[in-house]
C-alpha cells in the first residue's frame, strides 16, 4: 500500500519466536528484536552501547511456521517490514498505543555467523505474494545449475584439497 512506513531493523531476538494459532487455525509468530546502536567514544577510546530499541514483530501463515522453526533466542537477524500502530485499553482501562513491525522478510545476519538454508516444501495453498493467491506448482527436481549434464564425478571446485594448478574450466 502507498504511504506505509517500511523499515529494516538489524538486531538480536530477545526470545524464541512464539508460534500460536488463531481460532481459525491461522499460524502467527510473535517475537521481539533488540537493536542496540554502538558508537566509538574518542575520549574514552572505546566502543559504547547506545539506547536499545525493542521492537515487537509478527509474521503470519506458513511464514510464521518457518520463522518459529528456524530462528532462536539471541540470533542476529535482519528484518524488513511495515510499521503498524494499534490502540487498545489495558486491564486498568488506560488507553495505550503499540507500534509493531509486520515482517515482510527476515533472515539471519551473516556478519558473525554462517547459515545453511533449506528450501521448505510448498503447502500448495494460496500464498502471500503481491498478486494474491498463487497457484500450486508441481514439485520439480532441481539440478545444480552449474553441473555438467550427465557428469556424476565431482569437479575440482567441490572437492577441497583435490585440485591441481589448472583451472577447472
Amino acid at each position: 500500500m502507498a504511504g506505509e512506513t517500511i523499515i529494516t531493523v538489524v538486531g538480536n531476538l530477545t526470545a524464541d519466536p512464539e508460534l500460536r494459532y488463531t481460532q481459525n487455525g491461522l499460524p502467527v509468530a510473535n517475537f521481539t528484536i533488540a537493536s542496540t546502536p554502538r558508537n566509538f567514544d574518542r575520549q574514552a577510546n572505546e566502543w559504547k552501547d547506545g539506547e536499545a530499541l525493542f521492537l515487537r514483530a509478527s509474521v503470519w501463515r506458513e511464514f510464521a511456521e518457518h520463522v518459529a522453526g528456524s530462528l532462536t533466542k539471541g540470533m542476529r537477524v535482519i528484518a524488513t517490514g511495515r510499521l503498524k500502530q494499534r490502540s487498545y485499553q489495558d486491564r486498568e482501562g488506560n488507553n495505550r498505543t503499540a507500534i509493531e513491525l509486520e515482517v515482510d522478510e527476515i533472515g539471519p545476519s551473516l556478519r558473525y555467523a554462517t547459515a545453511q538454508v533449506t528450501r521448505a516444501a510448498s503447502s500448495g495453498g494460496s500464498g502471500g505474494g503481491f498478486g494474491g493467491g498463487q497457484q500450486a506448482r508441481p514439485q520439480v527436481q532441481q539440478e545444480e545449475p552449474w553441473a555438467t549434464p550427465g557428469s556424476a564425478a565431482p569437479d575440482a571446485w567441490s572437492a577441497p584439497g583435490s585440485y591441481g594448478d589448472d583451472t577447472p574450466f
Side-chain angles (χ1 to χ4, degrees):
M1 258 189 241
E4 290 186 310
T5 305
I6 298 174
I7 67 164
T8 299
V9 63
V10 178
N12 296 70
L13 296 183
T14 61
D16 290 346
E18 303 167 22
L19 181 63
R20 297 187 179 157
Y21 294 87
T22 65
Q23 290 179 346
N24 297 334
L26 198 63
V28 60
N30 296 300
F31 50 93
T32 300
I33 302 171
S35 180
T36 307
R38 296 196 81 200
N39 298 307
F40 190 74
D41 184 347
R42 292 184 185 194
Q43 292 176 339
N45 200 31
E46 64 184 9
W47 287 94
K48 293 196 175 178
D49 289 340
E51 186 84 21
L53 167 71
F54 292 90
L55 187 60
R56 285 294 290 171
S58 63
V59 292
W60 292 84
R61 297 179 178 76
E62 191 175 23
F63 189 13
E65 293 173 332
H66 295 171
V67 166
S70 302
L71 303 177
T72 57
K73 176 182 178 177
M75 278 188 170
R76 185 174 178 86
V77 296
I78 303 168
T80 187
R82 293 160 281 135
L83 280 183
K84 297 288 184 178
Q85 177 177 312
R86 65 181 174 87
S87 299
Y88 63 97
Q89 282 190 342
D90 63 13
R91 291 186 177 124
E92 290 79 38
N94 300 319
N95 290 331
R96 301 282 185 177
T97 301
I99 296 178
E100 299 171 340
L101 180 65
E102 194 169 301
V103 176
D104 292 323
E105 297 287 339
I106 188 169
S109 169
L110 301 181
R111 179 175 291 254
Y112 306 113
T114 60
Q116 181 65 42
V117 178
T118 305
R119 185 177 193 107
S122 175
S123 65
S126 62
F130 286 106
Q134 297 174 339
Q135 295 293 324
R137 291 182 233 149
Q139 294 293 322
V140 178
Q141 184 69 19
Q142 293 183 338
E143 294 183 19
E144 177 63 41
W146 297 281
T148 307
S151 71
D155 66 326
W157 292 109
S158 66
S162 64
Y163 55 89
D165 291 334
D166 297 331
T167 358
F169 48 87

